[in-house]
Amino acid sequence: MELKDFFLQHPKAALAFSGGVDSAYLLWAGRHYGAEIVPYYGKTSFQPRFEYEDAQRLCRELGVGLRTVPVDILAIPLVAANGPRRCYYCKRALFSAIQAQAREDGLSLLLDGTNASDDGADRPGMRALKELEVRSPLRECGLVKEEIRSASREAGLFTWDKPAYACLATRIPTGRGLVSQELALVERAEDFLAGLGLRDFRVRLFAEGARLQVREEQTELVLQRRREILEVLGRGFAAVLLDLEPRRP
């Protein structure tokens, strides 16, 4: 099945919209094929500000209204505990909230941007999507990440080369309870480093310090700006470490 066929069969649906490569292309494709796709952004303390801004920008460029669904994700004990199944409990709560709002708005079908490159065995949150009967058109139509990037570029979407982004909770070691202050600290650190020109990197909490994971080609930039990085990040972290194992895409 191709996307065109999917949207012919399902001409009206809600979309869990993150502002990333996959959901951005899915929103564009739905509109391109004449479907009424309504994007919903689940807003939690796990998403950094720039993701929300990207989602708003993409919707403006496509002429679509974005609906925001706030979710107090840290109020859910099994999420805040940050155990090995955190992603499952988080996805279950987030998509349940979006689904409830969509149904209130008269939309019975909920879509998400999971693609055919995503390995369900490595993503416990996908179990929650299955339980909630969320459909993943990109995955069902066999579209992999590189195909989606290429098609997004042809469509003129600014998201076409956006690096993959995992939520802020993944920066905290499993088993260490999640608190809003530490999530905000990591977000500020990553905002600062992005301002220096870094792309596709992570700031991970390590004891009371920060461990920077960067692409090999950007290691030199980090070393050149070392003093500045130490000065700024040192205000929030007891130590700032550079992982010598480069981050891979």
Side-chain angles (χ1 to χ4, degrees):
M1 179 169 60
E2 297 186 356
L3 273 181
K4 180 180 180 179
D5 300 318
F6 181 91
F7 287 117
L8 283 174
Q9 295 175 22
H10 306 285
K12 187 174 182 179
L15 170 64
F17 186 67
S18 68
V21 178
D22 300 323
S23 61
Y25 179 67
L26 190 57
L27 178 59
W28 176 87
R31 289 178 55 78
H32 179 71
Y33 292 122
E36 180 185 347
I37 307 299
V38 183
Y40 290 79
Y41 186 93
K43 197 169 188 292
T44 77
S45 55
F46 290 173
Q47 280 77 44
R49 184 183 66 253
F50 82 84
E51 286 277 72
Y52 188 40
E53 292 173 348
D54 281 357
Q56 292 174 311
R57 175 186 168 187
L58 196 285
C59 287
R60 284 197 304 271
E61 292 183 359
L62 295 181
V64 183
L66 177 65
R67 305 191 184 187
T68 303
V69 181
V71 180
D72 185 2
I73 205 71
L74 291 179
I76 301 168
L78 289 171
V79 174
N82 196 24
R85 299 184 68 206
R86 180 206 72 239
C87 188
Y88 166 79
Y89 297 117
C90 178
K91 286 282 192 193
R92 179 89 195 187
L94 182 60
F95 276 74
S96 292
I98 292 175
Q99 194 171 62
Q101 183 59 60
R103 285 175 174 169
E104 188 175 317
D105 295 338
L107 300 166
S108 59
L109 177 63
L110 177 60
L111 312 177
D112 92 307
T114 302
N115 67 64
S117 301
D118 295 323
D119 185 355
D122 293 334
R123 297 184 61 180
M126 288 176 67
R127 176 187 164 195
L129 303 187
K130 184 177 181 180
E131 291 174 352
L132 294 170
E133 299 183 338
V134 176
R135 299 286 296 273
S136 303
L138 299 176
R139 186 179 179 88
E140 292 179 29
C141 295
L143 291 170
V144 298
K145 196 73 168 188
E146 288 312 308
E147 291 177 304
I148 296 165
R149 288 190 183 280
S150 178
S152 296
R153 187 175 187 177
E154 291 180 12
L157 304 180
F158 75 87
T159 52
W160 78 269
D161 66 341
K162 185 175 178 179
Y165 188 87
C167 80
L168 291 169
T170 63
R171 313 300 197 269
I172 313 299
T174 300
R176 177 168 177 160
L178 300 172
V179 293
S180 58
Q181 294 88 341
E182 289 187 339
L183 294 170
L185 187 62
V186 170
E187 181 179 358
R188 287 195 297 271
E190 292 193 348
D191 278 347
F192 167 72
L193 294 173
L196 297 182
L198 290 178
R199 281 175 57 85
D200 193 16
F201 66 94
R202 299 287 186 266
V203 174
R204 300 194 186 279
L205 210 61
F206 182 77
E208 300 307 314
R211 176 166 59 94
L212 312 187
Q213 292 181 319
V214 303
R215 300 282 291 272
E216 187 168 11
E217 63 270 21
Q218 296 207 305
T219 301
E220 186 61 33
L221 174 60
V222 174
L223 296 177
Q224 290 173 356
R225 308 296 291 269
R226 181 178 64 88
R227 291 186 181 278
E228 188 177 355
I229 291 171
L230 285 172
E231 178 184 352
V232 175
L233 269 62
R235 298 169 190 163
F237 299 99
V240 180
L241 312 176
L242 175 61
D243 194 331
L244 295 181
E245 184 68 34
R247 174 172 167 76
R248 290 175 170 78

